[in-house]
């Protein structure tokens, strides 16, 4: 069974190589080849999963060593894979949801002349993410980490003829480079501290390292997670990433890129457990981001950017849960999986709406679409109910567990975190209800565009609706299945560990409180967008609303602090270089030049001048000698 692990990565990697290097002769079949190889990876994962189920919890971990990558003296880097319950969960999510997105893309990208290349990039994305979650050491994980960054750059900027798409791709790439520096520094610290970067030896020695070292490693890992998972302060790229084709948004938000940071923190749980200060920072980042993303989502009229704010917020829940340590690791991953179903379904639903509305993304130009797109309406609606935590659906089981874990932290910190997670749940109910009402309910608000073309909304083809239906089933049933007999908890506990904590409130009380804030959020959205006509132009709104429309001024902050600050720093360094460094260098050269010029005058070529100089020097030496004797 171990020999199959490499095939998980090899299948989509082969697809990427063939599709990107095979040329135009594959244009007619490239999309099918990419989809088949993605599905093949899922089938291999399912086979490995079934083999795991036949073993006890502690015996389910599989290892495969391919070859020694870098053997240099005492430095050794291997290409080896580790498949345990945590990585298997990601494998099934990445390949399963990824395959559905491939199938959806067949219809969505039907008329794009570069469709073959698009599917090659999708395969590359899957291969890089699989390498990331299957690596058995941090250096190999870093290769997958960078591969994910490369694939996201290529896919976000796929429609590079649009300046906004090209700019968004560069922005995502550069912001993620900041986080990637954190991961590279963490790996260097691991090697200098433990002499290795393999998971087993690092985790085994983490408790014996100094508190300062493990805290520094933990903070650098968190910086890396903030970049990939779009957490404060490296969240600014996520909204702009919506410039890519909608299947890319679904893949990034549900199955690949933004989940990488949650995986990194959970996989590194032993390090964070040994560094409570770093754990506290993780919790703070998650709490701030879940509110930040939710507030941004409330003010967006672009349907994809509203969902992007939602992703930022939901990943914030996961990061917060991971920061709680053994109390929350399992629930962070559980919410990540259920979120993979309903967020992929929501994004694909948004793409279906755009498909029927001439690529219009402004929800103020929708309205009443449930009549024209019944399948999209039902599947999107089920995803909506799941994400707001409607009783019985997936989000109800996973997000409520995170809220319970927040309270279980205990003390004043537990009350604060519990209140933050409840507030986030209420805001989620508000902005997602707003999306539903503006898109599918009310009167139609679309009109002919500048060229006189009026949208004719219609249901999408089966290649697009069938993946949406399958994801809708996951949105409805996955959380409940995971919760029967605490199946998911028992599945992950051998890898992540689990602790109950000491919650001051019961689970029933948390559920009741969650239902109250859910009803309040839905009710406010109904009063604002259900009972009143939606204006064609967004009203000016309050100061907070205007700030939220501009992503709470995150780009303004980055421009002032980083761009302007970088410009001033550069000018200062140039000034120092020109005045101080060049001054010293040029001044030294000028001094020696002047001295040599004066000394050169002594060498005039006349023998009598040299004789006089010799006579003078001799006279001085004799006089000095006589003087010293006299003294």
């Amino acid at each position: 069974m171990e020999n199959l692990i490499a095939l998980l990565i090899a299948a989509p990697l082969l697809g990427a190589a063939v599709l990107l290097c095979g040329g135009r002769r594959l244009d007619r079949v490239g999309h099918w080849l990419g989809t088949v190889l993605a599905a093949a990876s899922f089938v291999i994962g399912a086979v490995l999963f079934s083999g795991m189920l036949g073993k006890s919890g502690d015996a389910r971990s599989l290892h495969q060593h391919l070859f020694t990558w870098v053997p240099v003296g005492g430095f050794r880097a291997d290409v080896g894979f580790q498949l345990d319950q945590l990585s298997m969960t990601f494998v099934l999510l990445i390949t399963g949801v990824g395959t559905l997105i491939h199938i959806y893309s067949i219809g969505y990208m039907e008329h794009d002349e570069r469709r073959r290349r698009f599917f090659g990039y999708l395969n590359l994305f899957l291969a890089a993410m699989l390498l990331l979650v299957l690596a058995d050491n941090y250096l190999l994980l870093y290769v997958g980490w960078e591969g994910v960054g490369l694939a996201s750059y290529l896919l976000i900027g796929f429609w590079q003829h649009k300046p906004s798409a090209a700019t968004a791709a560069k922005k995502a790439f550069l912001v993620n480079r900041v986080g990637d520096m954190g991961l590279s520094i963490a790996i260097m610290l691991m090697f200098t501290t433990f002499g290795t970067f393999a998971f087993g030896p690092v985790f085994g020695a983490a408790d014996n390292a100094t508190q300062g070292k493990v805290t520094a490693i933990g903070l650098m890992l968190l910086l890396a997670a903030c970049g990939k998972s779009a957490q404060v302060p490296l969240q600014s790229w996520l909204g702009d990433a919506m410039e890519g084709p909608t299947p890319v948004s679904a893949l990034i938000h549900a199955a690949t890129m933004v989940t990488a940071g949650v995986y990194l923190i959970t996989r590194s749980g032993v390090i964070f457990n040994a560094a409570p200060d770093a754990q506290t920072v993780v919790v703070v980042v998650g709490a701030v981001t879940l509110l930040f993303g939710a507030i941004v989502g409330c003010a967006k009229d672009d349907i994809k950017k509203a969902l992007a704010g939602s992703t930022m917020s939901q990943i914030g829940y996961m990061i917060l849960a991971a920061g709680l340590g053994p109390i929350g690791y399992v629930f962070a991953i559980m919410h990540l999986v259920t979120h993979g179903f309903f967020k992929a379904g929501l994004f694909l639903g948004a793409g279906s709406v755009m498909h029927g509305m001439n690529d219009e993304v402004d929800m103020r130009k929708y309205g009443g679409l449930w009549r024209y797109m019944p399948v999209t309406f039902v599947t999107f609606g089920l995803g909506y109910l799941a994400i707001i935590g409607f009783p019985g659906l997936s989000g109800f089981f996973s997000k409520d567990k995170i809220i319970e874990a927040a309270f279980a932290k205990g003390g004043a910190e537990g009350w604060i975190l519990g209140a933050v997670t409840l507030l986030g749940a209420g805001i989620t109910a508000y902005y997602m209800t707003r999306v539903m009402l503006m898109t599918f309910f009310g009167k139609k608000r679309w009109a002919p565009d500048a060229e006189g073309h009026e949208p004719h909304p219609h249901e999408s083809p089966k290649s697009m609706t069938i993946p949406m239906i399958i994801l809708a089933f996951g949105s409805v049933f996955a959380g409940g299945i995971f919760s029967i007999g605490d199946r998911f908890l028992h599945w992950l506990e051998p890898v992540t560990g689990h602790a109950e904590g000491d919650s001051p409130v019961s689970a029933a009380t948390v559920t009741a409180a969650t239902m109250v804030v859910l009803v309040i959020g839905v009710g406010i959205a109904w009063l604002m967008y259900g009972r009143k006509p939606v204006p064609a132009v967004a009203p000016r709104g309050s100061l907070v609303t205007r700030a939220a429309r501009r992503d709470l001024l995150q780009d303004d902050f980055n421009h002032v602090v980083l761009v302007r600050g970088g410009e001033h720093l550069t000018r200062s360094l140039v000034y120092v270089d020109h005045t101080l460094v060049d001054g010293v260098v040029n001044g030294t050269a000028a001094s020696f030049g002047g001295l040599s010029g004066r000394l050169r005058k002594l060498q005039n070529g006349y023998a009598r001048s040299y004789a006089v100089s010799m006579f003078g020097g001799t006279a001085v030496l004799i006089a000095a000698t006589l003087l010293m004797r006299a003294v």
Side-chain angles (χ1 to χ4, degrees), residues 9-23 26 33-34 37 116-117 119-124 127:
I9 304 170
L13 188 60
L14 174 64
V18 171
L19 293 175
L20 296 177
C21 301
L26 295 174
L33 177 62
L37 288 172
R116 170 185 54 83
R117 184 178 295 273
F119 276 82
Y121 292 159
L122 288 184
N123 274 196
L124 179 62

Side-chain angles (χ1 to χ4, degrees), residues 20 108-109 111-122 151-162 164-169 241 243-246 248:
L20 296 177
Y108 191 88
M109 301 294 290
H111 302 295
D112 196 298
E113 61 181 13
R114 299 170 66 232
R115 182 165 63 166
R116 170 185 54 83
R117 184 178 295 273
F118 179 79
F119 276 82
Y121 292 159
L122 288 184
S152 66
Y153 169 78
L154 296 172
L155 285 168
I156 292 170
F158 184 75
W159 287 328
Q160 55 194 265
H161 60 276
K162 297 166 53 180
S164 57
T167 301
E243 292 292 335
T246 300
V248 175

Side-chain angles (χ1 to χ4, degrees), residues 381-530:
L382 291 173
Y384 151 72
L385 292 175
I387 195 173
I388 69 173
F390 189 83
L393 274 68
S394 290
F396 169 79
F397 293 100
S398 58
K399 189 158 60 176
D400 272 25
K401 287 295 185 181
I402 293 179
I403 298 173
E404 292 176 23
F407 279 108
K409 182 68 174 176
E413 184 180 353
W415 283 104
I416 294 172
L417 294 177
V420 168
T421 53
L422 281 174
L423 178 59
I427 300 175
T428 301
Y430 166 78
Y431 69 71
M432 285 306 304
T433 303
R434 175 179 179 268
V435 170
M436 280 295 297
L437 293 173
M438 292 179 71
T439 302
F440 294 102
F441 293 93
K443 297 180 180 180
K444 71 171 190 177
R445 299 185 298 276
W446 60 85
D449 58 21
E451 299 177 356
H453 300 142
E454 182 174 343
H456 296 285
H458 55 277
E459 191 55 87
S460 299
K462 289 184 179 180
S463 63
M464 295 172 65
T465 56
I466 289 176
M468 291 158 56
I469 293 170
I470 296 173
L471 290 168
F473 273 97
S475 301
V476 174
F477 298 112
I481 294 172
F482 292 161
S483 298
I484 296 174
D486 289 330
R487 288 180 178 177
F488 199 79
L489 190 155
H490 295 315
W491 166 256
L492 277 185
E493 189 173 8
V495 179
T496 63
H498 181 67
E500 292 297 332
D502 185 19
S503 178
V505 295
S506 65
T509 302
V510 170
T511 299
T514 305
M515 291 302 100
V516 169
V517 298
L518 184 153
V519 171
I520 292 173
V522 171
I524 294 174
W526 170 255
L527 290 174
M528 295 181 65
Y529 297 95

